């Protein structure tokens, strides 16, 4: 993945702005009160508050950037301005995601993903990981199995493919399954664990897909056809 001096300059500027804002909020605004209330432990409290502020500000900055300049879908070369913009968004998200680890649990993960632009419904189970959350929609009752990966991008053959990902209502992405780059999983559909969906895959409502690459195996409530294999 190529990076130019301009990439470093722009990324450094955006990240420096986020750090400065977080420091102003915690170091200037909150620190005097935390020192008075927590005494000798105020440094630990301030560090945690700084991490939280950094994560929240990163999410707000990311969403503001996308409102000003949305990230287009499609296939782009490594020299494309779209690829450069995607790298900037990814760096902001990935660093903030690491900083937010102490505040990210199975219960708070939907809130954290929403902070970075994901559309997450109610009663979801999120055991997997997400890349480009601002390109991901997870509807009510969906399940992401442990170790599964949902992302809006795929890099191959010197190009990047960007596409929105939707996990429909009641749909299941099995353990260690991969759904990256323009994926649509219909309502109550299921991707069997360990399967990999190729970019652009569209799974109709209620179908079961499996394999690498994944393909239709059966329909929910119906037995697989004779001769079908796991792929």
């Amino acid at each position: 993945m190529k990076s130019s001096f301009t990439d470093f300059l722009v990324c450094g500027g955006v990240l420096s702005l986020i750090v400065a804002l977080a420091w102003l909020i915690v170091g200037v605004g909150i620190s005097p009160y935390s020192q008075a209330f927590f005494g000798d432990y105020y440094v630990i409290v301030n560090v945690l508050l700084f991490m939280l502020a950094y994560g929240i500000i990163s999410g707000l900055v990311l969403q503001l950037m996308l409102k000003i300049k949305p990230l287009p879908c499609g296939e782009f070369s490594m020299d494309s301005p779209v690829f450069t913009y995607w790298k900037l968004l990814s760096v902001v998200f990935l660093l903030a995601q690491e900083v937010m680890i102490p505040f990210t649990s199975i219960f708070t993960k939907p809130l954290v993903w929403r902070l970075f632009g994901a559309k997450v419904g109610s009663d979801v189970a999120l055991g997997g990981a997400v890349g480009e959350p601002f390109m991901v929609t997870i509807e009510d009752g969906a399940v992401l199995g442990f170790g599964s990966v949902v992302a809006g991008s795929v890099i191959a053959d010197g190009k990047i493919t960007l596409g929105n990902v939707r996990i429909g209502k009641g749909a299941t992405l099995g353990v260690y399954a991969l759904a990256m780059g323009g994926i649509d999983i219909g309502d109550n559909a299921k991707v069997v664990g360990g399967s990999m969906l190729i970019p652009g895959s569209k799974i109709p409502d209620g179908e079961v897909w499996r394999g690498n690459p994944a393909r239709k195996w059966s329909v929910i409530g119906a037995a697989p056809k004779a001769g079908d294999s796991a792929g």
Side-chain angles (χ1 to χ4, degrees), residues 42 88 138 221:
Y42 84 97
L88 173 60
I138 302 170

Side-chain angles (χ1 to χ4, degrees), residues 93-112:
F93 165 63
L94 291 172
L95 288 179
Q97 180 180 239
E98 293 299 315
V99 171
M100 290 289 283
I101 286 177
F103 311 100
T104 305
S105 67
I106 191 171
F107 304 106
T108 62
K109 189 178 286 188
L111 294 175
V112 174

